[in-house]
Amino acid sequence: MPLIVLWDIDHTLIENSGVSKEIYAAAFASVAGRAPVRPARTEGRTDRLILTEMFRDHGMQPPAWGQILSALEAAGAERETDLARRGRALPGAREALIAVAAEPGVISSVLTGNIAANARVKLRAFGLDVLLDMACGAYGEYSADRAALVKVARDHIQEVHSLRHDTPVVLIGDTPRDVQAALDSDAHVVAVASGTHSAEELSASGASIVLPDLRDVSALIDRLRALAQDAD
């Protein structure tokens, strides 16, 4: 049976070294007309939710989403070179993406809280974008709710690749929100303790498969093959 694998980006595939929060601060300032005094709260939230909460944290009514989206796109584009200089692809990320893409029947794309333009910026900065089917992904502009993005990705992939509606989905991410999104959407999850959350925290949030990072590519592939076989 085919398998859909959806990757988170920040702290799963890349380390952005603070550039993400600079993007949010710049987007906020562009729309609000003043610099933020409180940082963005991220930790697995979608961009739509992050900026909505950021305005409310400053006692402001969030403006129209289209205005925020344009500001986010501009802020991300301005910082791609800085991201490439300061950030990095996480250990094993490139090798894992290559191996998963080579698996027969596997569609490898993204499910990320980032808007599509900034997801491309972040992956392109380290040459990872070409290893994923970016056109079929689910991005943070589609919903404030990360779990809702699973259906978005399923619909995109089924439309492009004509997969069955019961094709199993695996989310790969580093936060309890990634785990909860999988649990809420009848998807599998492979949690990776490469961000700020420990393996114990990820297990406690409901992840039955937790890897320390992506360096053991064989272990990841074995897990994915087992999930595909269980669904067959």
Side-chain angles (χ1 to χ4, degrees):
M1 175 176 280
L3 188 68
I4 297 169
V5 178
L6 301 174
W7 300 82
D8 175 53
I9 295 177
D10 292 294
H11 310 299
T12 299
L13 294 175
I14 73 158
E15 170 54 54
N16 66 65
S17 299
V19 173
S20 275
K21 291 198 174 182
E22 292 171 12
I23 290 172
Y24 297 131
F28 176 90
S30 175
V31 176
R34 63 183 176 92
V37 296
R38 297 180 183 178
R41 292 181 285 131
T42 54
E43 294 183 338
R45 292 173 171 83
T46 66
D47 280 3
R48 197 162 189 139
L49 181 58
I50 290 167
L51 266 294
T52 296
E53 290 184 340
M54 198 170 183
F55 277 94
R56 288 177 177 155
D57 286 347
H58 287 77
M60 303 172 66
Q61 184 66 25
W65 169 246
Q67 188 177 3
I68 297 174
L69 178 61
S70 295
L72 278 170
E73 289 175 347
E78 290 169 358
R79 287 163 178 78
E80 182 170 352
T81 299
D82 200 28
L83 175 63
R85 178 177 60 83
R86 289 165 48 192
R88 61 191 173 93
L90 287 172
R94 186 180 309 278
E95 295 78 7
L97 289 175
I98 291 170
V100 171
E103 283 291 292
V106 172
I107 305 300
S108 184
S109 189
V110 295
L111 188 147
T112 173
N114 291 282
I115 61 169
N118 289 352
R120 291 182 182 279
V121 163
K122 289 181 176 183
L123 293 171
R124 187 170 58 230
F126 309 105
L128 302 180
D129 57 316
V130 295
L131 303 176
L132 290 152
D133 188 342
M134 299 289 288
C136 291
Y139 302 96
E141 63 256 50
Y142 295 128
S143 177
D145 178 14
R146 197 176 192 95
L149 296 181
V150 177
K151 183 179 186 305
V152 171
R154 275 189 172 119
D155 289 347
H156 285 173
I157 290 169
Q158 285 161 357
E159 180 180 349
V160 173
H161 296 281
S162 301
L163 298 184
R164 287 167 38 177
H165 284 277
D166 61 348
T167 300
V169 175
V170 182
L171 306 189
I172 302 179
D174 67 288
T175 74
R177 287 180 185 269
D178 293 304
V179 177
Q180 193 60 50
L183 297 176
D184 289 347
S185 58
D186 195 29
H188 303 285
V189 64
V190 175
V192 186
S194 49
T196 60
H197 298 279
S198 67
E200 291 74 20
E201 287 177 288
L202 294 168
S203 294
S205 69
S208 58
I209 301 173
V210 182
L211 302 177
D213 51 43
L214 294 174
R215 283 181 288 190
D216 191 343
V217 176
S218 295
L220 173 63
I221 295 298
D222 287 346
R223 296 289 194 176
L224 294 178
R225 287 175 179 170
L227 291 173
Q229 290 169 0
D230 289 345
D232 198 352

